[in-house]
Amino acid sequence: MSILITRRGFGATLMASTAIAAFAGSATAQAATRVAFVVHGQLGDKSFLDSAAAGLARAAESLPVETTVIEPGNDRSRWEPALADAADQGYDIIVVGTWEMTGFVVALAPEFPDTKFIIFDDAPDFAAASLPNVLAITYRTSTAAFLAGYAAAKVSQTGKIGEIFGVEGATILEFAVGFEQGARHANPEVELIRAVAGSFTDPAKGKELALTQIAQGADVIFPIAGGTGIGALQAARDEGKLAVGVDSDQALIFEATDEAQAKAIFTSVEKKVGDSLYLVLEQTLAGTAPYGSTIVLGLQDGAVGISKNAYYEAVVPADVRAEVDALEAQIIAGEITVETMM
């Protein structure tokens, strides 16, 4: 196996390739499938996009694929050209994320019928357009967020919890409705304070909004805001408050470099984007992935969940942890219906 860092195209490119790989137990070496992840922005958010890249890196280590990450940067005018450039370069599979890239895929996919496109965290209207080479992955994050909201309300001393949205879109609200339902399940009198940053790439704005919520009495902050959320997490750390991470186990991400930040993040609502991409790539290679449709993954699929690490155990009392586990089992069994934006 070889790992190669390169720069090309529209920005920094990370290529991890396996020279020879065995797949599905076969002893016969297969030609590597070329996969490009066109990032709508750049890596380094320590949550959503980094999770996707990690999943592709894992695929490069154990599946017969070569993965390239293309980062056009935060200038939106460069995203569509970067996607078109990747298609022109002949990648077998092109991966993109969120509603901000869906329209570009819908326009481009028919021009490249031999290229497969994977969209995560959003879906086109398959009834309105013929897109047999497109597969969409969406997530019932509300089911996991319910558990985090419950725990947050139980550990809050003030009964006030802040939420910070990158934008007020359906995928963000999917977190929020579950989180708020769970918080109210724990404490019907809980006060939830919402704020919208209007950006996923503005940590300063995230910190400003979090500090305002803390001044209003919030002692737990839940940023659903990508890179903007990093600032909100910092505010919680600096003010001695608690935070709920998003998309990845953010406490473990910060653990090695900022222990105080890790301690502030007592749990995270994990949207396991990397794992879902690995699964879909595996299915694509096996010929079983349902292209031309949307797959919805939730708590029962292991695609979402909350972080139950040492920080969680240190902050959340044992009896509350037992209650969370029981609620999780009830949701999976269909005994609790969690609200959803889907």
Side-chain angles (χ1 to χ4, degrees), residues 141-194:
T141 47
S142 61
T143 54
F146 181 102
L147 304 176
Y150 184 91
K154 285 290 188 178
V155 301
S156 173
Q157 300 298 309
T158 65
K160 296 181 180 181
I161 299 173
E163 297 173 283
I164 297 172
F165 304 164
V167 298
E168 201 166 3
T171 54
I172 301 302
L173 292 172
E174 173 68 13
F175 281 96
V177 295
F179 185 82
E180 292 171 4
Q181 183 183 355
R184 293 190 178 105
H185 191 80
N187 175 12
E189 304 301 319
V190 70
E191 182 178 345
L192 294 145
I193 307 169
R194 285 185 175 186

Side-chain angles (χ1 to χ4, degrees), residues 82-146:
L83 181 63
D85 182 65
D88 284 334
Q89 290 185 44
Y91 285 98
D92 301 298
I93 303 170
I94 297 176
V95 178
V96 300
T98 84
W99 58 273
E100 294 178 287
M101 296 294 283
T102 300
F104 302 146
V105 170
V106 170
L108 191 66
E111 298 179 23
F112 294 88
D114 295 330
T115 302
K116 296 188 185 310
F117 294 83
I118 298 171
I119 304 171
F120 60 88
D121 209 31
D122 195 46
D125 183 352
F126 285 102
S130 177
L131 300 166
N133 56 332
V134 177
L135 175 62
I137 310 169
T138 59
Y139 307 87
R140 278 292 309 276
T141 47
S142 61
T143 54
F146 181 102

